[in-house]
Amino acid sequence: MTAVCSLVQQAAVDDGKHYWPPILGLFRSVTVALTYMRRNRVQDELAETFGVSQSTISRAVTWLTPLLGSVLGDYVPTPEDLDDQTQYVVDGTLLPCWSWASHPGLYSGKHKTTGMNVQVACTLSGQLAWISDAIEGSRHDTHCLKESDVLITLDPTEWIGDKGYVGNDMLTPIKKPECRDLLDWEKEFNRQINKIRYVIEQVIAHFKNWRILHTDYRRPLKTFTQTISTVVALHFYQLSAE
């Protein structure tokens, strides 16, 4: 917390701006913003906890969320940072939000709810390596991965994914043909692939300990992608300190 507050303080000095409500001060404002993202608590509850109004909590969250993403942005790996000699396991996950009638593209037929899709990659040992930018939840994992451009300079044969990535030259389980059941060796092959893939499920579960990404996002939709980017930066920053 002290290190994060120092970064925020320096950014405020550099920009000549005051990014937090005076009644809360720097430390408590950062605490409010982090608590909101970590626990996805209702702002009225945070207001009661910190002894201020809901509008003060809203200002702290609104002002500090993008700033935290900015000051911690250097901790977020880009596709260019991935090692072309390393094998990666990839999977997509839906970050849920409220349903907005004006944004039907948020609805995921796979998950039967609305949200944004991000692609997550880790090493075979379960070390988080990369998280993509968010794309509307109606998009298929293959589309989202291609939009990220992560495989432009990397060999897809070194990547492992689920059946949603069939056709990308990656190592994936074998789909059941329409005309027959899977053969015994095909079933065994799929079991072995799934034994490897469990690491990405654990990595995603750990990432979603930030409850703002696990339960419905309640703030205006236009702020969702920025919040996702900030949480990604916070998560990588947290991992760098472990």
Side-chain angles (χ1 to χ4, degrees):
M1 280 292 296
T2 302
V4 172
C5 287
S6 296
L7 291 172
V8 171
Q9 174 71 50
Q10 186 59 53
V13 171
D14 293 342
D15 295 345
K17 296 181 180 180
H18 204 71
Y19 286 102
W20 51 88
I23 192 173
L24 281 172
L26 172 58
F27 187 86
R28 292 213 302 164
S29 293
V30 172
T31 301
V32 164
L34 294 179
T35 301
Y36 182 77
M37 287 181 278
R38 188 67 173 180
R39 298 299 177 196
N40 200 15
R41 290 179 60 188
V42 176
Q43 291 185 7
D44 285 335
E45 292 181 355
L46 287 172
E48 184 176 349
T49 299
F50 286 87
V52 295
S53 66
Q54 180 273 329
S55 60
T56 298
I57 297 296
S58 179
R59 288 196 298 273
V61 172
T62 300
W63 294 346
L64 284 174
T65 295
L67 184 61
L68 287 168
S70 176
V71 299
L72 299 177
D74 290 343
Y75 289 90
V76 181
T78 65
E80 292 75 19
D81 295 322
L82 298 181
D83 182 9
D84 60 4
Q85 301 299 313
T86 299
Q87 277 193 304
Y88 294 103
V89 186
V90 65
D91 200 3
T93 187
L94 189 78
L95 312 179
C97 66
W98 280 354
S99 177
W100 299 83
S102 59
H103 292 83
L106 292 171
Y107 184 77
S108 168
K110 176 182 177 181
H111 297 279
K112 308 301 182 186
T113 190
T114 50
M116 303 287 282
N117 181 302
V118 294
Q119 300 293 296
V120 183
C122 73
T123 63
L124 296 181
S125 62
Q127 179 181 359
L128 177 63
W130 169 79
I131 299 175
S132 74
D133 293 334
I135 293 181
E136 288 187 335
S138 62
R139 295 295 188 172
H140 193 275
D141 281 338
T142 289
H143 172 87
C144 297
L145 192 67
K146 288 181 177 178
E147 284 293 306
S148 72
D149 292 335
V150 70
L151 294 179
I152 287 181
T153 59
L154 298 173
D155 182 4
T157 62
E158 294 293 329
W159 287 56
I160 301 171
D162 62 18
K163 294 177 183 178
Y165 299 96
V166 170
N168 290 286
D169 297 326
M170 295 165 55
L171 191 60
T172 64
I174 299 170
K175 282 188 173 182
K176 177 185 175 301
E178 293 183 3
C179 58
R180 63 171 175 83
D181 292 332
L182 290 175
L183 303 176
D184 289 343
W185 73 266
E186 292 173 323
K187 294 178 181 178
E188 179 60 26
F189 176 85
N190 287 356
R191 278 194 290 269
Q192 295 304 319
I193 291 294
N194 289 332
K195 285 182 179 180
I196 298 172
R197 285 193 59 260
Y198 86 94
V199 293
I200 190 64
E201 296 172 1
Q202 291 183 327
V203 166
I204 290 174
H206 187 205
F207 174 51
K208 284 191 167 182
N209 281 337
W210 293 90
R211 307 306 287 180
I212 197 78
L213 305 182
H214 182 74
T215 50
D216 282 354
Y217 187 75
R218 297 185 295 270
R219 292 181 65 212
L221 182 61
K222 64 182 180 181
T223 67
F224 195 18
T225 53
Q226 176 61 71
T227 299
I228 293 170
S229 297
T230 296
V231 172
V232 168
L234 285 164
H235 191 60
F236 276 109
Y237 176 75
Q238 181 185 26
L239 292 176
S240 72
E242 291 181 352

